[in-house]
Amino acid sequence: GESVGLHLPTLSVQEGDNSIINCAYSNSASDYFIWYKQESGKGPQFIIDIRSNMDKRQGQRVTVLLNKTVKHLSLQIAATQPGDSAVYFCAEKLSGQNFVFGPGTRLSVLP
Amino acid sequence: DSGVTQTPKHLITATGQRVTLRCSPRSGDLSVYWYQQSLDQGLQFLIQYYNGEERAKGNILERFSAQQFPDLHSELNLSSLELGDSALYFCASSPRGTRQETQYFGPGTRLLVL
């Protein structure tokens, strides 16, 4: 499939290593955040979410950290696998159901 | 497979034309969202419908309109198309209840305006 965002920042990691993808958000009033994974030729897929009353949330092999002081969000993927290669987006919820997505980071897993 | 379906998968048209993109949400989901994804703008929220009514509006141009029908499927209408409208258009739906904010995306419609 065609690549999205040909000039995205890229993170290359060795298979089996941990990955950390970062995201800066814009609105200090945002109260809900989501990480999405988008594989080539597919729509974004929900990975994990976190509300602003938390600073950490864990899923299966993934952890999201929220630092409201500096408006920063990170996604940690443990034991990165080839199937994790994709573009990762963070999204923040503004008022109502209006979500703003970050520009994305391309994760490339090296064998 | 997210359970959200979109048609057509690809669409090629000319400037000045009008097209309609269709989305069927996951069974039981009342909310439908439309997004535009282009290389230079990233993923942009356009509009949301909930149970047939417009709920939120994002960066949607006046040339674009959407609606949600009683059977909950939604259509996005793009008119007076310009070259810059070439993009991927995604539909997403979200469930009822406390997980309303989790959005499940369809596979997208790739629009090319020549």
Side-chain angles (χ1 to χ4, degrees):
Chain A
E2 193 174 305
S3 297
V4 172
L6 294 178
H7 303 293
L8 289 175
T10 298
L11 174 66
S12 296
V13 299
Q14 210 70 38
E15 182 179 351
D17 287 352
N18 297 334
S19 304
I20 300 176
I21 301 170
N22 297 303
C23 176
Y25 63 93
S26 59
N27 192 332
S28 57
S30 295
D31 62 358
Y32 180 67
F33 306 86
I34 305 177
W35 278 101
Y36 285 94
K37 172 187 180 182
Q38 187 174 20
E39 295 175 275
S40 184
K42 297 184 179 180
Q45 176 188 359
F46 172 88
I47 302 174
I48 192 168
D49 58 359
I50 189 168
R51 297 193 181 276
S52 59
N53 61 353
M54 303 171 69
D55 51 23
K56 180 178 180 178
R57 187 152 190 249
Q58 287 185 287
Q60 187 177 13
R61 274 201 314 121
V62 294
T63 301
V64 55
L65 298 177
L66 175 62
N67 184 331
K68 294 183 287 293
T69 304
V70 295
K71 292 189 287 185
H72 183 267
L73 202 61
S74 69
L75 176 71
Q76 300 179 1
I77 304 174
T80 312
Q81 302 169 359
D84 295 326
S85 292
V87 176
Y88 290 81
F89 295 95
C90 66
E92 62 179 302
K93 192 182 84 161
L94 302 181
S95 59
Q97 292 294 318
N98 192 346
F99 281 84
V100 174
F101 284 72
T105 297
R106 186 180 307 281
L107 176 65
S108 178
V109 182
L110 307 172
Chain B
D1 183 0
S2 66
V4 177
T5 60
Q6 290 186 248
T7 56
K9 193 175 174 69
H10 300 279
L11 195 50
I12 302 175
T13 188
T15 54
Q17 295 298 304
R18 173 190 166 95
V19 297
T20 297
L21 312 184
R22 183 187 168 105
C23 167
S24 292
R26 296 183 335 146
S27 176
D29 287 359
L30 297 180
S31 280
V32 168
Y33 307 78
W34 285 99
Y35 291 87
Q36 179 192 58
Q37 187 175 45
S38 59
L39 287 177
D40 58 347
Q41 293 286 329
L43 200 60
Q44 300 275 319
F45 168 69
L46 296 178
I47 197 164
Q48 181 212 355
Y49 278 81
Y50 179 82
N51 202 21
E53 301 209 351
E54 183 183 304
R55 175 64 69 91
K57 221 168 187 176
N59 300 322
I60 188 165
L61 300 172
E62 285 192 12
R63 301 184 285 109
F64 296 180
S65 65
Q67 53 184 327
Q68 186 179 27
F69 295 86
D71 66 353
L72 302 177
H73 90 272
S74 178
E75 293 180 355
L76 179 67
N77 300 296
L78 314 177
S79 61
S80 303
L81 285 166
E82 302 175 359
L83 296 178
D85 297 327
S86 296
L88 275 164
Y89 290 85
F90 288 104
C91 166
S93 72
S94 65
R96 313 177 193 215
T98 58
R99 303 303 299 170
Q100 280 181 26
E101 292 156 322
T102 303
Q103 296 180 29
Y104 296 87
F105 282 76
T109 292
R110 184 176 298 280
L111 174 66
L112 180 60
V113 182
L114 300 176

